Amino acid sequence: MEYSPISPFMRPISRTHLRVVDEHDTLAMGKPVNKWVLLRELAKARVAFGVSERDLTVLQGLLSFFPDDALDGNTTMVVFPSNKAICERLHGMPCSTMRRHLARLVSAGLLVRRDSPNGKRYARKEGQDRIAFGFDLTLLYQRASEISRAAEAVRESEDQIRRVREVVSLMRRDLAALADFGEELEPGNDLWNLLRDKAMLAAKALRRKLPLDALLQLRAELEHFLEQARDKIDGPETEELVTKDAQNEQHHHSSNTNSIVLEPNLENVRPAATTPDGDPDIDQERQNNPHAKTLPKIPLHLVTTSCPTLATFYDGPVRHWHQLYDAACHIRPAMGITPSAWEEAQRCMGPEQASVVVVAMLERFAEIRSPGGYLRALASKAASGKFSCGPMIMALMGRRRAA
């Protein structure tokens, strides 16, 4: 490594460190940064900076010696504890281990050593000036913006993995449901056993913490088998069968005085209280809510036919329930539905039925004053077993026929 000339504090500073200071000096100087918030951001982005959890433990110990919670570019940010004091603060960490972690923090460009001529760490006054020898936190402070951006990139990646995992989980259940449905239509076809095997293997794979590329590969495989199943099942006889089932469900709910049809007056129903986030795996969410364990009793093709506005806001085919879920996730923010309301609807209704509700609401969006409150009201009904999305779709079909 090349080094610049000796610094005023007797320790050479690498050109990499100087370049980092120059790049971020104008971004950070003068703006206080909470040291503990910055440490949490660095913990989230630690892989990008090449530091370990143990390295950050040592950094946390050093930060505890800085008297203020805020790091400020207008103050000297040098801490000067002895090795013994640092190890005591770290609950007896061996001195050799502590020095190794300190070296990694310096190498990562998060700390700079400011050594005195005799190698001791201390502070003294020279007239009006205060000179400190120890560990300088200025680099950490000046890289605050970089650390925050890296942490946000990690969060976005984690969120992408979570979304893909949810879609794959839905695809796996779609495959199992199509296998059961196909067995009823054409018993003995080897394709249905193949689909069940693929669904079972996907379920086993989802028990592990898969990286994004593995999830994307699994999604592509399931997409292939789903298309095979749909091509085999689709036909006039099947469409007539499922449409008749949907009409029977509509008749059943029309005779129930407590049924819910998509009407604006439900906006005034008090929203259900938001419950804590459940397990991110959709299977667990369904186990927590017995009313959300089955797919909607309305055929998917009737949903897409009754909700043509969906095609305006979502560019892609919708032949399977997981694709409808993906579409609902895309249009939900544009409708003003908050993430908490969407998550509550999924817990109470199941992801597929919640998706049907969202695309049905899109058809009458101009008539709904508070989409988020409306969705929470329907989720509250679903939680008590008093809601089905079938009547909503049949009501929209009736409006289209009357138009």
Side-chain angles (χ1 to χ4, degrees):
M1 178 184 295
E2 295 183 355
Y3 287 91
S4 68
I6 300 298
S7 74
F9 297 101
M10 308 299 292
R11 171 71 69 157
I13 303 176
S14 71
R15 296 187 187 278
T16 301
H17 291 176
L18 290 176
R19 188 163 56 250
V20 169
V21 172
D22 291 341
E23 179 182 354
H24 296 283
D25 182 69
T26 57
L27 296 176
M29 289 305 255
K31 183 179 179 181
V33 177
N34 186 285
K35 62 183 181 182
W36 304 123
V37 173
L38 183 57
L39 182 65
R40 287 196 295 271
E41 293 290 276
L42 182 57
K44 176 62 71 173
R46 62 181 179 81
V47 175
F49 291 87
V51 292
S52 66
E53 294 179 356
R54 295 282 282 174
D55 298 335
L56 295 180
T57 299
V58 174
L59 180 59
Q60 180 180 7
L62 285 181
L63 287 174
S64 70
F65 287 100
F66 189 74
D68 301 325
D69 281 343
L71 300 177
D72 191 334
N74 298 319
T75 61
T76 300
M77 290 178 284
V78 178
V79 293
F80 41 89
S82 65
N83 286 350
K84 180 180 178 182
I86 297 174
C87 291
E88 289 176 351
R89 191 66 59 92
L90 297 174
H91 309 290
M93 177 183 287
C95 189
S96 59
T97 303
M98 181 272 296
R99 289 198 302 267
R100 185 169 65 251
H101 292 303
L102 281 176
R104 289 176 183 168
L105 292 169
V106 172
S107 177
L110 300 171
L111 289 177
V112 173
R113 293 179 184 270
R114 304 296 192 192
D115 289 349
S116 65
N118 63 5
K120 300 293 184 180
R121 301 179 196 131
Y122 60 88
R124 73 171 183 227
K125 277 194 172 183
E126 292 186 357
Q128 298 297 321
D129 297 328
R130 178 177 178 272
I131 298 179
F133 301 95
F135 296 101
D136 194 342
L137 304 172
T138 302
L139 274 180
L140 178 68
Y141 168 72
Q142 290 175 339
R143 300 186 73 179
S145 297
E146 179 188 359
I147 292 170
S148 295
R149 289 193 296 269
E152 185 59 29
V154 172
R155 293 189 186 95
E156 290 177 359
S157 176
E158 291 175 346
D159 189 55
Q160 183 183 11
I161 289 175
R162 179 188 58 81
R163 292 196 305 268
V164 174
R165 183 180 176 85
E166 289 175 350
V167 170
V168 169
S169 182
L170 290 172
M171 293 173 73
R172 188 263 302 171
R173 274 193 304 279
D174 281 355
L175 200 61
L178 286 175
D180 292 340
F181 185 55
E183 187 68 42
E184 295 179 2
L185 294 177
E186 189 179 335
N189 192 315
D190 292 339
L191 176 61
W192 315 132
N193 289 330
L194 176 61
L195 299 183
R196 291 192 187 94
D197 291 342
K198 292 297 180 181
M200 182 178 63
L201 291 174
K204 291 181 178 179
L206 288 174
R207 294 172 188 168
R208 305 191 304 271
K209 191 174 182 180
L210 299 176
L212 180 60
D213 55 349
L215 285 170
L216 292 175
Q217 181 180 353
L218 182 57
R219 185 177 70 177
E221 293 175 0
L222 292 178
E223 188 74 45
H224 170 72
F225 287 104
L226 281 167
E227 290 302 315
Q228 272 193 312
R230 180 57 67 189
D231 290 340
K232 182 69 175 177
I233 290 175
D234 278 349
E237 299 83 1
T238 304
E239 181 170 342
E240 181 180 355
L241 173 63
V242 294
T243 303
K244 183 177 179 180
D245 288 343
Q247 292 171 342
N248 291 339
E249 185 193 8
Q250 167 68 7
H251 175 75
H252 172 74
H253 282 276
S254 297
S255 63
N256 186 343
T257 57
N258 293 324
S259 65
I260 298 179
V261 182
L262 189 64
E263 295 296 342
N265 59 10
L266 277 179
E267 297 167 25
N268 298 322
V269 178
R270 180 177 297 178
T274 303
T275 56
D277 288 344
D279 189 291
D281 185 82
I282 299 176
D283 285 332
Q284 185 64 41
E285 292 178 8
R286 292 189 165 200
Q287 291 174 8
N288 294 337
N289 182 7
H291 301 295
K293 287 185 177 179
T294 58
L295 291 173
K297 295 181 179 179
I298 193 81
L300 180 57
H301 80 277
L302 290 187
V303 176
T304 55
T305 301
S306 304
C307 303
T309 309
L310 175 63
T312 304
F313 293 92
Y314 182 73
D315 184 19
V318 180
R319 299 185 69 198
H320 306 283
W321 288 109
H322 73 273
Q323 293 170 333
L324 185 72
Y325 172 80
D326 186 51
C329 288
H330 277 79
I331 66 176
R332 183 272 306 166
M335 296 175 66
I337 298 173
T338 63
S340 62
W342 174 232
E343 291 168 5
E344 181 180 348
Q346 291 183 72
R347 284 194 297 272
C348 297
M349 302 177 181
E352 295 92 348
Q353 187 164 214
S355 302
V356 173
V357 171
V358 168
V359 299
M361 288 170 57
L362 181 64
E363 288 301 310
R364 298 182 63 178
F365 183 69
E367 304 172 37
I368 302 175
R369 184 171 60 253
S370 175
Y374 188 97
L375 185 61
R376 288 185 189 275
L378 297 183
S380 179
K381 293 284 187 180
S384 58
K386 299 178 181 178
F387 173 76
S388 172
C389 63
M392 298 176 67
I393 298 302
M394 301 309 293
L396 290 174
M397 289 183 64
R399 285 164 60 96
R400 287 175 58 80
R401 294 193 191 101

